[in-house]
Amino acid sequence: MIPLELDLTDMDVIRDPFTAYGRARERSPLARVVAPGLSPMWALTRQEGARAVLANPRFEITSGSFLRPDVPDDCLPYLRTMSEMDGPEHLRLRRLVAPAFSARRAAAFRPRIERIVERLLDDLPGHAEDGSVDLLSHFARPLPMEVICELVGVPEPDRPRWRDYGAMIVAGAGQAFGAAIPGIIAGAKEAVARRRHEPADDLLSDLIRVQDEHGDRLGDTELVTLVWHLVLAGQTPTNLVANAVDVLLAHPAELAELRADPALMPRAVEELIRWCGPNLLTIPRYAREDADLYGHRVRKGETVTVALAAVNRDPRVYADPDRFDVMREPGAAGHLGFAHGPHFCLGASLARAQTDVALTALLRRSPGLALAVADAPRAPDPGTWRLLALPVTL
């Protein structure tokens, strides 16, 4: 079967990527994704093939997988993050830092996330205008940066500028994003230097102390790079929390079940990541050699991605996949919202914890929560399923 071609500038794809990618998935396990100015990409549309490719070293992430912003020369040594490393280099760094991002550590950090969430919710009524408040601007957007500042150990006086950086990052690539990078790197350098002299109970202090059985340690450049990359990648919960609230309010029966039994929240979070996760495509991989994918020749150097909007609703894996169901059993396979294989999202446990805490507290404190508009406006972004605003009444 000839793969369906999806144009990322097509408004049908932008407005409803789940239907567009779903149509491609049912036609073929492989699609072609095109956009002006970009090389065409092969896109896996079914979960079995997606897992195989994401775990296959013949498809590698490189610096070309990312849109690199223009930054001053002194920032360049810090732009090569763990995400664009592969093989032994990636494995070494991941081995050193993974214990700091475990599910156990995220659970231990949960009380500090809860304090941040409660403080943000306390402030919400003060942001109301004409009876409604933008939950994206005043809750979902500041939450991840507050958590990261707490996690890394950024002092309170320095946090306002980090909040500004977070807003620029969430807004997406562009001049503002590039302009934020030097400040984030400078802040990361300051944080590393401070914690070398004043260790504390935070992630950065742990990473400075970490040493493996061979005596390997993270160098200063690696630490600074890790911190700024954590700031960048750690903004994911912004769109996940906003999408989750929007979906729950559109599904009153599911919302009622969740309110009646808050213990369902961890399961609901997994379903929300599957059903309305913000990432529509994975980071592109490059074929290291010629390969065959479902009868189609992928040439060395060609780009391959996974259409998460398709694979997370694959009927070969999920029963009635287009139905949102907070009671859904995650299943043995689970979703691919945090990717798979060597580049599985390092911060997945932290993102899950933030989303769980944020939704649990919001629903508990706002029993009358409702959308203040008929439809919350969405960004015309073919790579990220995200809202521009989320006006609600509390």
Side-chain angles (χ1 to χ4, degrees), residues 370-384:
L371 277 177
V373 294
D375 292 295
R378 287 206 166 269
D381 185 341
T384 308

Side-chain angles (χ1 to χ4, degrees), residues 116-117 120 124 134-149 159-160 162-172 231-232 234-243 245 354 358 377-379 386-390:
I116 292 168
V117 166
L120 289 171
L124 269 185
D134 183 357
L135 205 65
L136 175 62
S137 295
H138 302 296
F139 182 61
R141 185 172 290 152
L143 172 61
M145 185 55 76
E146 292 291 332
V147 170
I148 286 168
C149 285
R159 294 187 182 184
W162 285 67
R163 294 181 191 115
D164 291 340
Y165 299 147
M168 294 178 191
I169 289 169
V170 171
V231 172
L232 174 67
Q235 302 310 300
T236 296
T238 286
N239 294 318
L240 177 55
V241 169
N243 285 350
V245 173
Q354 282 186 72
R378 287 206 166 269
R386 62 187 177 93
L387 292 163
L388 290 171
L390 183 57

Side-chain angles (χ1 to χ4, degrees), residues 189-220:
K189 288 179 180 179
E190 293 169 12
V192 169
R194 184 184 304 108
R195 283 296 173 254
R196 283 211 182 276
H197 294 289
E198 302 171 9
D201 180 22
D202 55 43
L203 173 76
L204 191 49
S205 298
D206 289 348
L207 290 173
I208 289 170
R209 285 191 295 264
V210 75
Q211 187 171 10
D212 75 358
E213 64 270 21
H214 304 295
D216 192 9
R217 286 185 182 273
L218 293 166
D220 274 359

Side-chain angles (χ1 to χ4, degrees), residues 104-372:
R104 180 180 62 82
R105 293 299 300 275
F109 194 67
R110 187 180 177 107
R112 292 160 79 171
I113 299 174
E114 289 171 344
R115 288 195 290 271
I116 292 168
V117 166
E118 294 295 339
R119 187 174 72 246
L120 289 171
L121 291 176
D122 286 342
D123 293 341
L124 269 185
H127 296 293
E129 296 181 8
D130 298 324
S132 70
V133 62
D134 183 357
L135 205 65
L136 175 62
S137 295
H138 302 296
F139 182 61
R141 185 172 290 152
L143 172 61
M145 185 55 76
E146 292 291 332
V147 170
I148 286 168
C149 285
E150 184 75 13
L151 188 72
V152 170
V154 175
E156 190 64 45
D158 293 343
R159 294 187 182 184
R161 61 187 171 112
W162 285 67
R163 294 181 191 115
D164 291 340
Y165 299 147
M168 294 178 191
I169 289 169
V170 171
Q175 187 174 354
F177 171 73
I181 299 302
I184 293 173
I185 291 175
K189 288 179 180 179
E190 293 169 12
V192 169
R194 184 184 304 108
R195 283 296 173 254
R196 283 211 182 276
H197 294 289
E198 302 171 9
D201 180 22
D202 55 43
L203 173 76
L204 191 49
S205 298
D206 289 348
L207 290 173
I208 289 170
R209 285 191 295 264
V210 75
Q211 187 171 10
D212 75 358
E213 64 270 21
H214 304 295
D216 192 9
R217 286 185 182 273
L218 293 166
D220 274 359
T221 299
E222 290 172 331
L223 277 167
V224 170
T225 303
L226 183 65
V227 171
W228 96 258
H229 185 222
L230 180 63
V231 172
L232 174 67
Q235 302 310 300
T236 296
T238 286
N239 294 318
L240 177 55
V241 169
N243 285 350
V245 173
D246 187 44
V247 166
L248 287 169
L249 293 178
H251 293 80
E254 302 303 308
L255 177 58
E257 285 198 61
L258 203 48
R259 286 190 185 280
D261 185 4
L264 287 173
M265 187 59 78
R267 185 184 297 186
V269 168
E270 296 307 308
E271 175 70 347
L272 286 160
I273 297 168
R274 180 194 78 84
W275 207 80
C276 62
N279 295 325
L280 299 173
L281 299 165
T282 62
I283 297 168
R285 271 92 170 146
Y286 289 88
R288 301 178 67 176
E289 58 191 54
D290 288 359
D292 180 86
L293 285 181
Y294 297 101
H296 297 278
R297 176 63 86 189
V298 177
R299 301 293 180 184
K300 178 181 178 180
E302 288 189 324
T303 315
V304 179
T305 185
V306 168
L308 294 174
V311 302
N312 280 339
R313 299 195 186 189
D314 186 349
R316 296 153 193 82
V317 177
Y318 310 102
D320 199 4
D322 289 318
R323 181 170 62 89
F324 174 63
D325 180 7
V326 297
M327 298 291 291
R328 186 185 297 275
E329 291 283 354
H335 58 74
L336 295 182
F338 294 115
H340 177 67
H343 286 276
F344 178 81
C345 177
L346 196 62
S349 293
L350 186 63
R352 286 180 165 114
Q354 282 186 72
T355 306
D356 186 317
V357 171
L359 295 177
T360 298
L362 178 65
L363 296 185
R364 183 189 74 246
R365 293 183 51 160
S366 300
L369 187 70
L371 277 177

